[in-house]
């Protein structure tokens, strides 16, 4: 697997860089010798981080640390911005503990209004990187700090359930409760949102209709279980909220291009190959 180097992606001497991907093309699995924050602006894909799939939809933010591997699969009109940084080049490290991903959540979700604020901050960082005068480095760092604080505040207010934005709380609820039967009408009542507003807001926040969002969350979790456990496929279908395992298999096949069984076998084979490959490398390194 390739490790990307800061020399190929950063303006010289800068601690932070902004790399828009409009769209994000297919790109093989890789790591970096820098950190990468991925801000999904629109579209959708499966984002594999260290082999585990996450749904990458509008408003998701991921943090890929040094030594982690990632790539996108099943890309659908994916537009994102990578904010890359090298901690050793930052003048102040005090905000790094507030980065998304530091508290065990691999994925942060931000609201559309925060997303547009972040886009402006990214544009301002890019602009400063081009400018390259005596103060640009400090400006870039202070804009980067604002980005981190925005994300942290959003994560915090959602965790403490103080959020005004009921739709985002409802999305977190779906992420946790995908295994149960979901009736969007009931859920709308429970979160005190009119159903039509819920449909509109969910589409606005994630770029997906409620049913599509829920199905993708279920499939993502099914992929993890197929890969990480030996549970029978019918059990996995049930544990992921599909009450008909034939429907599960055909939907899985339609979205992922492989049957659940083929997916499980394919992962096993890939893992074996990469395990042998790494073992060989380790031997060679001795
Ligand atoms: C690629 C892709 C990768 C990123 C590099 C810099 O297009 O977005 O994730 O690490 O750019
Ligand atoms: Ni990357």
């Amino acid at each position: 697997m390739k490790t990307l180097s800061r020399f190929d992606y950063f303006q010289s001497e800068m601690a932070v860089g902004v790399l828009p991907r409009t769209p994000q093309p297919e790109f093989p699995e890789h790591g970096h010798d820098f950190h990468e924050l991925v801000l999904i602006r629109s579209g959708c894909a499966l984002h594999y981080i260290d082999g585990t799939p996450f749904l990458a939809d509008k408003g998701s933010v991921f943090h890929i640390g040094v030594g982690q591997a990632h790539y996108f699969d099943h890309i659908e009109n994916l537009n994102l911005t990578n904010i890359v940084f090298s901690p050793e080049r930052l003048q102040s490290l005090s905000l790094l503990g507030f980065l998304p991903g530091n508290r065990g959540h691999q994925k942060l979700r931000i609201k559309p209004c925060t997303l547009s604020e972040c886009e402006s901050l990214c544009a301002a960082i890019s602009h400063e990187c081009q400018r390259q005068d005596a103060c640009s480095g400090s400006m870039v760092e202070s804009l980067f700090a604002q980005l981190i604080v925005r994300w942290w505040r959003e994560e915090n207010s959602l965790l403490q359930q103080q959020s005004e934005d009921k739709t985002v709380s409802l999305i977190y609820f779906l992420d946790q409760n995908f295994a149960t039967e979901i009736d969007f009408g009931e859920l709308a009542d429970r979160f005190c949102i009119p159903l039509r507003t819920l449909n509109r807001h969910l589409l606005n926040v994630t770029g997906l209709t409620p049913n599509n969002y829920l199905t993708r969350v279920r499939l993502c979790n099914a992929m993890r279980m197929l890969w990480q456990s030996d549970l029978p496929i019918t059990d996995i279908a049930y544990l992921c909220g599909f009450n008909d395992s034939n429907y599960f298999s055909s939907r899985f096949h339609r979205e992922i291009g492989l049957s659940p069984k083929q997916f499980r076998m394919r992962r096993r084979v890939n893992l074996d190959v990469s395990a042998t490959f790494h073992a060989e490398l380790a031997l060679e390194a001795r």
Side-chain angles (χ1 to χ4, degrees), residues 4 30 32 36 70:
L4 310 183
H30 61 279
H32 332 88
E36 184 165 87
H70 79 138

Side-chain angles (χ1 to χ4, degrees), residues 4 9 19 21 24 27 30 32 36 70 82:
L4 310 183
Y9 293 99
L19 311 169
R21 299 287 181 253
Q24 170 66 57
F27 196 86
H30 61 279
H32 332 88
E36 184 165 87
H70 79 138
N82 293 317

Side-chain angles (χ1 to χ4, degrees), residues 139-155:
M139 275 297 271
V140 165
E141 238 188 275
S142 82
L143 291 162
F144 180 58
Q146 292 183 47
L147 207 52
I148 297 179
V149 173
R150 287 249 184 347
W151 286 333
W152 178 77
R153 289 205 173 140
E154 181 125 339
E155 187 175 16

Side-chain angles (χ1 to χ4, degrees), residues 46-48 51-55 71 73-74 215-229 236 240 242 248 252 255-258 260 263-264 267:
L46 279 175
H47 190 185
Y48 281 86
T52 303
F54 293 89
L55 177 60
Y71 70 101
D73 203 2
H74 297 96
T215 305
R216 277 157 211 260
V217 168
R218 286 176 166 163
L219 289 176
C220 248
N221 281 284
M223 291 166 89
R224 284 181 217 163
M225 286 187 204
L226 283 167
W227 177 40
Q228 289 163 356
S229 78
I236 292 182
C240 292
F242 294 92
F248 164 66
F252 192 97
E255 303 289 343
I256 311 299
L258 294 170
F263 175 80
R264 179 175 256 169
R267 298 287 320 183

Side-chain angles (χ1 to χ4, degrees), residues 113-132:
C113 54
T114 314
L115 178 58
S116 39
E117 285 173 9
C118 293
E119 290 182 78
S120 315
L121 284 169
C122 288
I125 295 176
S126 272
H127 181 78
E128 282 298 334
C129 288
Q130 306 293 324
R131 197 178 164 114
Q132 294 198 351

Side-chain angles (χ1 to χ4, degrees), residues 75-227:
I75 297 181
E76 290 169 43
N77 308 318
L78 188 65
N79 293 310
L80 58 83
T81 302
N82 293 317
I83 299 103
V84 292
F85 70 97
S86 293
E88 65 276 13
R89 299 207 162 231
L90 290 170
Q91 284 154 28
S92 157
L93 296 177
S94 58
L95 278 176
L96 291 187
F98 295 89
L99 279 171
N102 271 8
R103 279 176 290 167
H105 303 274
Q106 283 277 17
K107 168 175 160 181
L108 167 70
R109 144 117 23 235
I110 58 174
K111 288 179 278 181
C113 54
T114 314
L115 178 58
S116 39
E117 285 173 9
C118 293
E119 290 182 78
S120 315
L121 284 169
C122 288
I125 295 176
S126 272
H127 181 78
E128 282 298 334
C129 288
Q130 306 293 324
R131 197 178 164 114
Q132 294 198 351
D133 65 18
C135 291
S136 303
S138 305
M139 275 297 271
V140 165
E141 238 188 275
S142 82
L143 291 162
F144 180 58
Q146 292 183 47
L147 207 52
I148 297 179
V149 173
R150 287 249 184 347
W151 286 333
W152 178 77
R153 289 205 173 140
E154 181 125 339
E155 187 175 16
N156 241 25
S157 70
L158 290 169
L159 287 178
Q160 290 165 12
Q161 301 282 300
Q162 289 167 347
S163 167
E164 300 283 322
D165 197 328
K166 299 176 202 152
T167 306
V168 177
S169 305
L170 187 146
I171 292 171
Y172 275 107
F173 177 90
L174 289 177
D175 290 348
Q176 303 294 319
N177 295 279
F178 59 87
T180 61
E181 199 173 319
I182 301 286
D183 175 333
F184 281 104
E186 266 172 34
L187 217 55
D189 287 347
R190 171 145 27 141
F191 283 80
C192 307
I193 317 174
L195 185 58
R196 287 186 50 191
T197 315
L198 183 152
N199 291 339
R200 196 161 36 84
H201 281 187
L202 212 136
L203 187 63
N204 189 25
V205 172
T206 69
L208 295 165
T209 64
N211 277 322
N212 268 338
Y213 181 79
L214 180 61
T215 305
R216 277 157 211 260
V217 168
R218 286 176 166 163
L219 289 176
C220 248
N221 281 284
M223 291 166 89
R224 284 181 217 163
M225 286 187 204
L226 283 167
W227 177 40

